[in-house]
Amino acid sequence: MGWWQVNADTLAGSRFVLSPLAETFAALKLLHAGTAAHPGERAWLDAHLGDYRRRLAAEPVTAALVAAGLGKEWIADFLTPTPTGRTVGPEDSGTQFATEVARIREASPEAARAHLTVALRGPLPTILQGREDLPARAADLLDYIWTEAVRPYWARRRRVLQADVVARIVQLSQGGWAAALDALRPGMRWLGENRLQVNLHEYPPREISGAELFFVPVTPQRHGWVTWEEPHRYAVVYPCSGVLAGAEPTAAPESLNRLLGPARAGVLALLGSPLSTSQLVAVTGQGLGSVGRHLKVLLDAGLVQRRRAGRSVLYSRTPAGEVLVKSAAPPSPTSPTSTTTSWP
């Protein structure tokens, strides 16, 4: 198994960050696999997989590059530069992506070929041997995927990513680092004695104490990856919680919309499980002031309750709120008296 030696100061200084390039590379992995983990991914693949495959069919060198770089056990390192931790606002996401992808474009051809050889666990195919344009081709492909298949959805994806970060921070406040890290991605767990297992691959332990450590969520439902720039920067890229990675939440029942207004009804419908104000802002896309006003009205009406979890305040429906949501919902085909608020 692969594990990192992490001292307390490094773990305490670690951060969750968002990366448009990581999201785009995760999208590339999903396009390469061609299989979806949930209906939201299936709809996205239906919209973009055909164009992606036509592009690769017209560019056999790039197709061979992708096949080599996404190895069965290893990813070619130059394709996944470690995030710097500089997260910008949604209006600057294009600039952030351009800065990140430029690091791939600037990789040396020799290093790119060496990394591809490691990912393949064998010699490069003839079509890739000696080529000087592999970093540029990889950057061009990722730029295409960002422009055509990620950026049009970035506003919603960014809200989903922010909501996941909030949920992880709440989990951290409730169960500590061991619980938060164990649940982050498959194969990852806290081993004790300052050891963080990051995956199940066999490679020598790494001493990362004193380095920057980032946790980077992505929405496509795969296993994520780890990346580093020794000795200064390390990152764990992990898939969002499944409940947050699908499409928009199911709308509140229409009768509840008429009673409370669509925005307030939507907040109440989401509170079947505890959420913080920041998480509600991230999921709904409403402003902090609007969410705060809705919560105050719902609290005054006895429809939601709040409790503190570490530094966070979590809101959830009261029994009265549960009755209101369930009574407003149309009967389901299988159970006339039950309803759920779900993420497809």
Side-chain angles (χ1 to χ4, degrees):
M1 64 185 175
W3 57 273
W4 296 345
Q5 192 78 25
V6 186
N7 65 13
D9 288 342
T10 298
L11 195 58
S14 63
R15 291 188 286 138
F16 289 88
V17 300
L18 306 187
S19 166
L21 178 61
E23 181 74 7
T24 303
F25 186 78
L28 169 62
K29 291 181 66 181
L30 178 56
L31 288 165
H32 181 68
T35 57
H38 56 72
E41 282 191 354
R42 182 71 264 165
W44 182 84
L45 279 173
D46 288 345
H48 300 289
L49 185 57
D51 285 344
Y52 169 78
R53 287 179 171 171
R54 283 188 288 273
R55 182 184 177 97
L56 290 195
E59 300 181 11
V61 175
T62 303
L65 166 61
V66 172
L70 301 182
K72 292 182 180 180
E73 295 184 2
W74 303 96
I75 297 170
D77 287 351
F78 83 100
L79 296 174
T80 56
T82 307
T84 62
R86 299 186 186 95
T87 298
V88 300
E91 68 280 0
D92 297 319
S93 57
T95 301
Q96 183 181 356
F97 174 82
T99 300
E100 292 179 323
V101 81
R103 297 169 65 198
I104 297 178
R105 194 178 300 278
E106 293 163 1
S108 77
E110 294 80 11
R113 293 193 298 269
H115 296 166
L116 290 168
T117 300
V118 172
L120 274 174
R121 291 186 173 272
L124 289 179
T126 303
I127 195 172
L128 298 179
Q129 291 178 8
R131 296 201 67 102
E132 299 291 308
D133 61 347
L134 298 181
R137 283 181 174 272
D140 287 345
L141 179 64
L142 288 165
D143 187 70
Y144 154 77
I145 294 172
W146 163 255
T147 301
E148 299 296 330
V150 176
R151 188 169 189 172
Y153 311 95
W154 181 246
R156 187 190 67 80
R157 289 191 182 203
R158 192 173 192 275
R159 291 198 301 271
V160 170
L161 296 171
Q162 289 173 323
D164 182 88
V165 169
V166 172
R168 304 290 178 178
I169 292 172
V170 170
Q171 187 177 41
L172 176 61
S173 70
Q174 293 174 326
W177 274 109
L181 293 173
D182 286 355
L184 203 62
R185 59 186 292 262
M188 185 169 180
R189 64 192 181 98
W190 184 250
L191 301 175
E193 298 180 349
N194 293 340
R195 295 176 302 158
L196 172 61
Q197 177 182 311
V198 294
N199 56 38
L200 299 177
H201 297 318
E202 293 293 339
Y203 58 73
R206 292 179 179 272
E207 171 61 71
I208 75 167
S209 297
E212 291 183 290
L213 175 59
F214 303 126
F215 300 103
V216 187
V218 293
T219 61
Q221 295 297 283
R222 295 297 180 265
H223 297 298
W225 61 90
V226 295
T227 179
W228 54 78
E229 293 176 6
E230 295 180 304
H232 305 297
R233 190 177 298 124
Y234 293 77
V236 175
V237 181
Y238 68 91
C240 278
S241 301
V243 71
L244 293 176
E248 299 290 348
T250 300
E254 181 57 34
S255 58
L256 195 62
N257 289 339
R258 292 195 298 270
L259 178 65
L260 300 176
R264 188 167 298 151
V267 169
L268 182 62
L270 283 169
L271 291 177
S273 58
L275 296 173
S276 69
T277 303
S278 298
Q279 193 168 3
L280 285 166
V281 168
V283 174
T284 64
Q286 300 181 41
L288 179 62
S290 296
V291 169
R293 287 190 293 272
H294 297 323
L295 288 171
K296 184 178 186 308
V297 171
L298 294 171
L299 280 166
D300 291 345
L303 300 178
V304 302
Q305 58 193 346
R306 62 185 173 190
R307 62 180 177 84
R308 181 167 292 279
R311 295 183 179 181
S312 299
V313 176
L314 301 181
Y315 295 83
S316 59
R317 290 198 295 260
T318 62
E322 289 285 348
V323 170
L324 182 60
V325 170
K326 291 184 177 182
S327 64
S332 72
T334 55
S335 175
T337 59
S338 67
T339 183
T340 59
T341 300
S342 63
W343 294 76

